[in-house]
Amino acid sequence: MSKTMLEVRELTTKYITRFHEDVYAVDHVSLKIEEGKSLGIAGESGCGKSTLALSLMGYYFPPLHYTSGDIIIDGKNISGMKPDDVRKNVLGTEIAYIPQAAMNALNPTRKIRKFIEDVVLAHEPKRDKKEIYEMAKARFDELGLPVEALDKHAVELSGGMKQRVVIAISTILKPKVLIADEPSSALDVTSQKMVIKMLREMMEKGLIRAMIFITHELPLLYNVTDDIMVMYAGQIVERGTAKQMVFDPIHPYSHGLMHSILVPEEGTRDNKLTAIPGTPPNLKHPPQGCRFADRCKYATPACRVNAQPMVEFEDGRTYRCSLSVEHLREVYKSEE
């Protein structure tokens, strides 16, 4: 039986605006990732992907606030821990984060080796700097990065190189869980492939034991992750294997999302792109029923009134919709 590396139970976090309004960007989210596995999170901009990533680290900065739920990493519940304890005992070792726009995360006035020294010494203050340098050299060699980059400033590195260096820094202490928030969005195709290859090799070598990969480039998730989870308006609407989610999405939002982009494996001659009408709801005042109902052409009057429960199949696949799988598949087939 595989070991659970990350388990999230009914996690809810919110933003508090300057007008003291609550915006629940992560609303009762639950997920589980086993050791050696990777999970992709997809959805439109503003659906809550990045907020979920920040929330999973258990380290909150206003206006983001923890509300309820559990975050369990390798059996350790980090929910409700004091910020100083999280910073010293969780971040970098239990869980690490590669932020969006990671290429701009490096101070241009400092050499790369100084960033690594700061990360290691924050957790292991008795480490010798020469020892840290050797440790960094070994990690760069493992990741196919030139050792010379340790003595360079960020401005001396290419975009792809900076991205890979940020990944190396984030994983220098071998975190159990790595969260990569759109790590390839600003890169060219060649650099994207290099970053993806690096992340895969880190999983294979055991440098990280589980990974969450966030992006809106759905075909990319198919090639990187084992499972894909789709978010909409702060909630999970569907989760399945990468193959299921790309080639057989069930939830109307997942189906619309998958058909709004080109999937190379399916070809383009007989596949037309379709847009999802409308805009996501205002989470200051979320809808009473299904949050996707106003944009869903299959919605019934009941969908706008009743909250939609998560339905789970025997194989572990889940989706949040009152319409049956059989009905939805028939509708999708008739529209082809």
Side-chain angles (χ1 to χ4, degrees):
M1 185 175 179
S2 298
K3 183 177 182 179
T4 299
M5 195 52 53
L6 173 67
E7 183 174 4
V8 180
R9 302 173 184 163
E10 296 293 316
L11 179 63
T12 300
T13 61
K14 66 182 179 181
Y15 291 104
I16 300 178
T17 72
R18 61 192 181 97
F19 300 110
H20 305 289
E21 299 169 304
D22 293 337
V23 180
Y24 289 92
V26 174
D27 193 354
H28 292 88
V29 168
S30 297
L31 61 90
K32 186 183 291 188
I33 309 175
E34 296 177 346
E35 185 172 11
K37 299 295 184 179
S38 56
L39 171 67
I41 302 179
E44 293 169 289
S45 296
C47 72
K49 304 187 301 295
S50 294
T51 301
L52 175 59
L54 293 171
S55 300
L56 290 178
M57 294 188 294
Y59 196 65
Y60 302 96
F61 290 96
L64 180 62
H65 297 265
Y66 167 81
T67 300
S68 62
D70 296 309
I71 304 165
I72 303 167
I73 304 173
D74 195 18
K76 180 191 296 185
N77 195 330
I78 68 170
S79 306
M81 287 179 64
K82 294 180 180 179
D84 285 347
D85 291 337
V86 174
R87 187 174 63 251
K88 292 177 182 178
N89 303 315
V90 176
L91 300 182
T93 54
E94 299 293 314
I95 191 166
Y97 177 61
I98 301 171
Q100 287 193 47
M103 290 186 294
N104 299 321
L106 300 172
N107 186 328
T109 65
R110 308 188 74 199
K111 290 184 177 181
I112 302 303
R113 64 188 294 178
K114 292 298 294 180
F115 288 105
I116 296 177
E117 287 176 3
D118 289 346
V119 170
V120 175
L121 291 174
H123 295 274
E124 302 174 16
K126 294 183 180 180
R127 283 267 194 178
D128 182 84
K129 288 187 177 181
K130 289 184 179 179
E131 185 182 1
I132 296 174
Y133 185 68
E134 292 302 317
M135 179 179 171
K137 284 173 63 178
R139 173 50 53 85
F140 271 42
D141 184 59
E142 287 174 332
L143 301 181
L145 288 163
V147 175
E148 294 78 16
L150 286 167
D151 289 306
K152 292 184 180 294
H153 294 84
V155 294
E156 299 178 85
L157 305 177
S158 66
M161 183 70 75
K162 281 190 283 188
Q163 183 70 294
R164 289 188 291 151
V165 164
V166 169
I167 293 173
I169 295 172
S170 298
T171 59
I172 192 68
L173 295 173
K174 297 184 179 180
K176 294 173 182 176
V177 180
L178 176 67
I179 303 174
D181 193 353
E182 306 217 29
S184 60
S185 60
L187 303 176
D188 57 63
V189 175
T190 301
S191 297
Q192 280 187 352
K193 289 181 177 179
M194 199 173 294
V195 167
I196 291 170
K197 181 182 178 183
M198 175 186 287
L199 292 172
R200 280 179 171 173
E201 289 178 348
M202 291 176 73
M203 290 283 291
E204 292 170 0
K205 293 177 180 178
L207 301 179
I208 51 176
R209 295 163 67 182
M211 180 174 67
I212 294 176
F213 194 102
I214 298 172
T215 183
H216 54 266
E217 299 178 56
L218 297 169
L220 190 62
L221 288 180
Y222 177 71
N223 293 305
V224 177
T225 62
D226 299 295
D227 291 348
I228 296 176
M229 186 172 77
V230 174
M231 283 192 76
Y232 181 76
Q235 296 181 331
I236 306 304
V237 296
E238 186 172 359
R239 175 174 176 165
T241 66
K243 185 176 181 180
Q244 288 172 333
M245 296 299 295
V246 171
F247 298 107
D248 183 32
I250 295 173
H251 192 280
Y253 177 66
S254 302
H255 185 268
L257 204 61
M258 299 301 176
H259 287 77
S260 65
I261 47 92
L262 291 172
V263 180
E265 289 80 5
E266 292 185 346
T268 58
R269 178 172 296 179
D270 300 319
N271 290 282
K272 296 181 180 180
L273 295 181
T274 56
I276 301 174
T279 58
N282 184 344
L283 292 183
K284 293 179 186 177
H285 310 287
Q288 179 181 349
C290 173
R291 297 186 176 182
F292 187 60
D294 287 341
R295 304 175 70 187
C296 180
K297 59 183 178 180
Y298 315 113
T300 66
C303 294
R304 293 179 168 81
V305 177
N306 302 321
Q308 308 298 303
M310 288 293 284
V311 179
E312 184 171 354
F313 301 114
E314 291 183 0
D315 62 359
R317 190 174 185 182
T318 60
Y319 81 114
R320 187 187 298 275
C321 187
S322 61
L323 302 176
S324 71
V325 175
E326 293 75 19
H327 172 73
L328 288 171
R329 282 180 173 154
E330 282 185 17
V331 173
Y332 299 154
K333 188 175 182 180
S334 68
E335 294 177 342
E336 292 179 353

